[in-house]
């Protein structure tokens, strides 16, 4: 585990002490994307694996943990499929309207949670809709950060991640212009783009960021608002905290916690879910 931590920067307020023992963990799933890379007729979270949609598998993996009692799902405004799922009637699940970008969907969920009447500190567990293979052990390890925060108030939260194992290459694009045609008057030029290697990147110290990512509600919301207002590049929740000077903790997670992004990922996810089911039976 990465033990790098940073005390709360002065320019982002926690809006109260988020690091107290009396807390609640609420999962937030941004599911407003259309999954264009899957080349399917429906968003990837509604593709079927072993008789259930990917989203249903993802929700089930979260509810397997006893400390997670509620889930907020951010949906696309044009979504018509969620209401047809059995989980739509689950009283533990609430929905909000998400945005075009992931950050907007997460913020919509955070705004909803910030408006709830509660006397507990809320920790938000943000998890990808298309990451259905989450294991209980990984959740256990990540949620321990909340217990550590009681003893060490400088713990701002963290995320599951896995060390980079493959050789990493930095690319560079090269445009090559070609001239075609037999006669001078018929010659035309065309440009071909080649992707070349600029150099090999040292993978030492590089990690793949996974989900879930776990942070106190007010801290995550404040950092996300600040980062968006300053037009920072926000690709996950951790990057919003990093922009504000925090150093979230990396929790070593399983490599089979894959995100279904490409068509070939479906078969791999089905294999992992089948293996996970057998492990639970044993």
């Amino acid at each position: 585990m990465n033990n790098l931590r940073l005390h709360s920067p002065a320019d982002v307020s926690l809006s109260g002490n988020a690091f107290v023992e009396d807390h609640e963990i609420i999962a937030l799933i941004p599911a407003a994307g259309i999954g264009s890379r899957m080349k399917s007729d429906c968003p990837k979270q509604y593709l079927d694996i072993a008789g259930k949609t990917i989203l249903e598998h993802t929700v089930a993996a979260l509810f397997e943990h006893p400390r997670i009692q509620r889930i907020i799902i951010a949906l696309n405004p044009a979504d018509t499929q969620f209401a047809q799922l059995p989980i739509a009637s689950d009283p533990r699940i609430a929905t909000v309207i998400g945005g075009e970008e992931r950050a907007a969907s997460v913020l919509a969920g955070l705004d909803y949670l910030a408006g709830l009447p509660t006397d507990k500190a809320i920790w938000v567990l943000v998890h990808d809709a298309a990451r259905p293979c989450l294991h209980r052990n990984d959740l256990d390890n990540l949620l321990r950060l909340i217990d550590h925060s009681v003893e060490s108030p400088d713990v701002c939260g963290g995320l599951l991640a896995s060390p980079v194992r493959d050789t990493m290459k930095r690319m560079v694009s090269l445009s090559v212009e070609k001239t075609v045609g037999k006669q001078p008057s018929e010659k035309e030029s065309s440009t071909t783009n080649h992707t070349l290697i600029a150099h090999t990147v040292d993978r030492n110290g590089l990690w793949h960021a996974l989900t879930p990512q776990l942070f106190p509600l007010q801290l995550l919301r404040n950092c996300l608002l600040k980062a968006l207002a300053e037009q920072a590049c926000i690709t996950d929740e951790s990057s919003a905290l990093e922009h504000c000077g925090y150093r979230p903790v990396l929790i070593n997670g399983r490599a089979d916690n894959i995100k279904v992004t490409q068509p070939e990922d479906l078969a791999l996810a089905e294999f992992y879910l089948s293996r996970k089911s057998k492990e639970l039976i044993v």
Side-chain angles (χ1 to χ4, degrees):
M1 182 173 72
N2 179 359
N3 292 318
L4 287 176
R5 297 167 182 161
L6 189 70
H7 286 278
S8 305
D11 59 341
V12 178
S13 170
L14 285 174
S15 298
N17 181 14
F19 306 108
V20 294
E21 293 185 6
D22 192 14
H23 63 266
E24 181 179 6
I25 303 165
I26 301 178
L28 170 57
I29 302 176
I34 59 174
S36 57
R37 283 177 288 181
M38 284 299 297
K39 300 178 182 178
S40 65
D41 295 332
C42 71
K44 59 188 176 184
Q45 60 266 28
Y46 295 119
L47 294 175
D48 186 89
I49 297 180
K52 291 184 179 180
T53 63
I54 292 175
L55 180 58
E56 288 176 291
H57 285 292
T58 300
V59 167
L62 291 169
F63 276 145
E64 281 177 8
H65 202 288
R67 295 180 73 178
I68 300 173
Q69 297 295 321
R70 286 197 282 176
I71 295 178
I72 311 300
I73 303 178
L75 299 174
N76 190 291
D79 188 302
T80 59
Q81 292 167 280
F82 179 79
Q84 301 174 27
L85 301 179
I87 59 174
S89 59
D90 192 320
R92 299 172 296 174
I93 296 176
T95 61
V96 297
I97 300 300
E100 292 186 8
E101 302 294 334
R102 176 193 177 91
S105 293
V106 171
L107 185 57
L110 298 177
D111 287 344
Y112 172 85
L113 291 175
L116 294 178
T118 180
D119 56 355
K120 294 183 178 181
I122 296 177
W123 283 71
V124 183
L125 189 79
V126 185
H127 189 45
D128 294 328
R131 211 178 278 274
C133 304
L134 178 65
H135 273 254
R136 167 70 183 269
N137 288 346
D138 275 3
L139 262 179
D140 282 336
N141 293 335
L142 181 61
L143 295 181
R144 287 194 187 99
L145 286 177
I146 299 177
D147 305 322
H148 294 330
S149 73
V150 176
E151 302 172 357
S152 304
D154 53 343
V155 174
C156 66
L159 63 151
L160 292 179
S162 63
V164 170
R165 297 179 175 89
D166 300 315
T167 298
M168 306 297 291
K169 305 290 186 181
R170 175 73 65 185
M171 61 152 283
V172 62
S173 294
L174 178 65
S175 297
V176 178
E177 189 171 334
K178 293 183 178 180
T179 302
V180 296
K182 296 181 179 179
Q183 303 297 325
S185 60
E186 297 175 349
K187 288 186 177 181
E188 297 179 357
S189 62
S190 63
T191 301
T192 302
N193 293 321
H194 295 282
T195 301
L196 307 178
I197 296 174
H199 60 269
T200 299
V201 179
D202 182 5
R203 69 186 174 198
N204 195 30
L206 294 181
W207 291 63
H208 293 287
L210 311 174
T211 69
Q213 302 194 4
L214 176 70
F215 301 103
L217 167 61
Q218 293 298 344
L219 177 60
L220 176 56
R221 184 168 179 264
N222 290 345
C223 287
L224 190 54
L225 285 169
K226 178 178 172 62
L228 290 174
E230 296 175 357
Q231 299 183 331
C233 178
I234 303 301
T235 55
D236 66 353
E237 292 65 54
S238 176
S239 58
L241 272 81
E242 294 161 36
H243 176 76
C244 295
Y246 290 86
R247 292 183 180 178
V249 179
L250 291 171
I251 302 296
N252 199 335
R254 295 174 58 122
D256 58 4
N257 181 15
I258 66 169
K259 184 176 182 180
V260 178
T261 305
Q262 307 288 350
E264 58 267 27
D265 296 333
L266 285 170
L268 188 58
E270 184 171 9
F271 169 75
Y272 285 145
L273 286 170
S274 174
R275 191 175 67 178
K276 177 184 174 184
S277 179
K278 292 177 181 177
E279 289 174 357
L280 290 174
I281 293 174
V282 174

